[in-house]
Amino acid sequence: MISVLQIIKEQLVNIHLIFRLSVYEIRGKYLMHYLGVVWQFLNPAIQISVYWLIFGVGIRSGGEVNGFPFFTFLIVGIIPWFFINPTINQGSNSVYKQVRLVSKMKFPISILPSVSIVSNLFNFIVMTLIMAVILHFKGIEPSIYLIQYPYYVFCMIVFLYATTLLFSTISTIVRDFQSLLQSTLRILFYLSPILWDIKMMPAFFDPIVKLNPIYYIIDGFRNTFLYQKWFFADLNIMFYFWVVTLLMLFVGAALHMKFRKKFIDYL
């Protein structure tokens, strides 16, 4: 518990530094590109077009999913994934990537995963606004269920910080972990109900899919924008999500505090 409180304190005290480093990271990422930050949105747009053509037009022959066009079903589920996937990848590698620079400075290493989260959060907010415009033109207007949107964003940020804090420590100590993680995320993308509806699968598959905490987030966004269901509609899955997330946060904080002074030894 002491480790978690120490980590949270470091985030709050250095919040201005986190935002400043996030802006530098975004600028540096596309510094040598002619289109600059446009690639932040061009890449997802290309991927959505490909998935829509293959899974919507091709495999489903333009069929609807739970009364909604496949394209609508797809963008509401995949936009959180475009935040989750790069954040876990970058955040998990953030300590190993920067520790050589910051090891000789008075610098709270625990904010490095937060920098990855905030730098991708800007992109996520803009893409959510674009999604809202698309939904408007599809005839889907905001409802009372939109008030739970901040709750699901909060869930996603806490989950991502807990995950990246834990994984960044493991990844620094055992470099094979980063390669394993990238492969696992590719598999998780297809196992999470982003491109398909969970009702399409046999009943025994249902609890297996829900073991994945990302399911709670993806389903929550669809409940908010499409299905109009409250976040407490299924208390079991809600309780499971928070138990897993907080457990990862406690373990991640404890490991980070134990190894933070030795990170440089693993380079």
Side-chain angles (χ1 to χ4, degrees), residues 122-252:
F122 291 136
N123 184 39
F124 171 73
I125 291 171
V126 175
M127 290 191 68
T128 302
L129 293 174
I130 295 171
M131 180 189 75
V133 173
I134 293 172
L135 293 181
H136 170 72
F137 283 105
K138 291 284 185 181
I140 301 170
E141 300 297 341
S143 68
I144 185 66
Y145 295 88
L146 194 61
I147 63 174
Q148 65 186 359
Y149 173 74
Y151 165 74
Y152 281 112
V153 174
F154 176 73
C155 289
M156 195 161 48
I157 289 173
V158 175
F159 171 74
L160 286 174
Y161 186 73
T163 306
T164 51
L165 183 66
L166 174 61
F167 289 177
S168 62
T169 301
I170 299 174
S171 186
T172 304
I173 298 170
V174 184
R175 285 307 293 163
D176 302 76
F177 182 79
Q178 188 65 25
S179 301
L180 177 65
L181 178 63
Q182 289 173 0
S183 301
T184 305
L185 283 172
R186 288 191 202 102
I187 296 170
L188 266 183
F189 173 70
Y190 291 101
L191 291 181
S192 302
I194 297 170
L195 301 173
W196 46 273
D197 182 38
I198 194 170
K199 294 175 184 171
M200 296 169 56
M201 306 302 288
F204 76 90
F205 203 67
D206 190 272
I208 298 173
V209 173
K210 291 179 179 177
L211 287 175
N212 175 7
I214 296 173
Y215 165 82
Y216 179 69
I217 297 170
I218 301 292
D219 194 50
F221 276 88
R222 288 200 173 117
N223 288 339
T224 300
F225 290 99
L226 301 181
Y227 302 150
Q228 301 192 348
K229 284 172 60 178
W230 289 112
F231 66 94
F232 48 78
D234 189 342
L235 289 176
N236 290 333
I237 189 71
M238 179 182 170
F239 179 73
Y240 171 77
F241 170 82
W242 280 111
V243 167
V244 171
T245 300
L246 293 177
L247 182 63
M248 291 178 75
L249 181 62
F250 276 80
V251 174

